[in-house]
Amino acid sequence: MKKKCLFFYCITLMLTCQVLQGSCWAEGISSGQKSVIINRCDILRDDLKKVQRNDSRTRVYLGGYYERVLNKFIMPFNVRLVEGSLSDASFVENQNRFALTKTAFANDFVYYQKGLEELIAIDCKAEPERFYERLVSVRKKRRVVEQDVEKLKGLLGENVKLVKGLMEKIEK
């Protein structure tokens, strides 16, 4: 049930963003976009609040997951490699990149959440242009968080490759 609700809210936000995305800011938003924002203001704000709650839960889950991976797998594994004289610089580099990217993820998410809070606080009926401008800004911040997640996934994949390579090296 939760997955269906999350899916529904994501689709709603994507559709809302597509409706509002059309114009360039140098030219301003169209009168059609203004009327959509004004007429659907309460629905948009409610949907954004739901996205905010779901994103917060996701951030807590992912943040905890990345923290556990770093502290319970990557770092202890690297310590054991050093103790066993099997250390390789690529493991340490990967650990450092993972830790830095995890920190960037946390910081970027806070920055995104603040922007989302500011967006939700805007009276979109009275200030549709400002609401749209902030929406575009928040979407960019959310993309940065998504990129951080992709980087972390890639670094985890890289760590798995390094471990497999070490296993093959030891078996020979």
Side-chain angles (χ1 to χ4, degrees):
M1 180 67 180
K2 288 182 181 181
K3 287 183 181 181
K4 287 182 183 179
C5 289
L6 178 61
F7 179 74
F8 171 75
Y9 298 130
C10 289
I11 294 297
T12 303
L13 179 64
M14 287 180 1
L15 291 174
T16 302
C17 292
Q18 285 181 347
V19 167
L20 301 176
Q21 184 177 9
S23 66
C24 175
W25 258 112
E27 301 168 5
I29 63 175
S30 71
S31 60
Q33 290 171 319
K34 281 184 187 180
S35 66
V36 168
I37 292 172
I38 291 168
N39 294 335
R40 299 185 51 103
C41 182
D42 294 332
I43 295 169
L44 292 171
R45 290 176 73 195
D46 287 343
D47 287 348
L48 289 170
K49 288 176 185 176
K50 291 172 187 171
V51 167
Q52 183 181 35
R53 281 192 302 272
N54 290 330
D55 282 356
S56 291
R57 288 183 195 129
T58 301
R59 188 253 181 226
V60 168
Y61 170 77
L62 288 176
Y65 173 75
Y66 296 141
E67 189 71 28
R68 284 189 305 276
V69 167
L70 182 63
N71 292 325
K72 299 212 182 256
F73 175 69
I74 294 175
M75 290 172 53
F77 186 75
N78 288 346
V79 169
R80 287 188 183 110
L81 288 177
V82 170
E83 289 171 351
S85 299
L86 295 170
S87 183
D88 186 339
S90 55
F91 283 99
V92 175
E93 287 175 26
N94 193 61
Q95 175 184 322
N96 291 338
R97 286 186 305 199
F98 189 87
L100 288 172
T101 305
K102 184 182 78 60
T103 301
F105 164 75
N107 293 337
D108 291 339
F109 189 87
V110 168
Y111 187 58
Y112 156 69
Q113 277 294 95
K114 285 180 182 179
L116 188 56
E117 287 173 15
E118 291 170 3
L119 172 64
I120 291 169
I122 295 172
D123 181 3
C124 42
K125 288 182 182 178
E127 301 178 278
E129 293 93 355
R130 185 167 166 243
F131 180 83
Y132 180 77
E133 180 182 317
R134 184 64 60 160
L135 177 64
V136 170
S137 172
V138 167
R139 289 174 68 215
K140 289 177 184 176
K141 292 174 185 176
R142 193 167 200 245
R143 272 190 230 118
V144 170
V145 173
E146 290 172 11
Q147 291 169 350
D148 290 340
V149 170
E150 290 304 315
K151 286 179 193 173
L152 287 164
K153 284 181 187 177
L155 291 168
L156 285 174
E158 180 65 26
N159 202 70
V160 169
K161 288 179 187 175
L162 290 170
V163 170
K164 286 181 180 179
L166 179 64
M167 287 172 52
E168 290 172 4
K169 187 176 168 183
I170 291 173
E171 290 175 353
K172 288 183 181 182

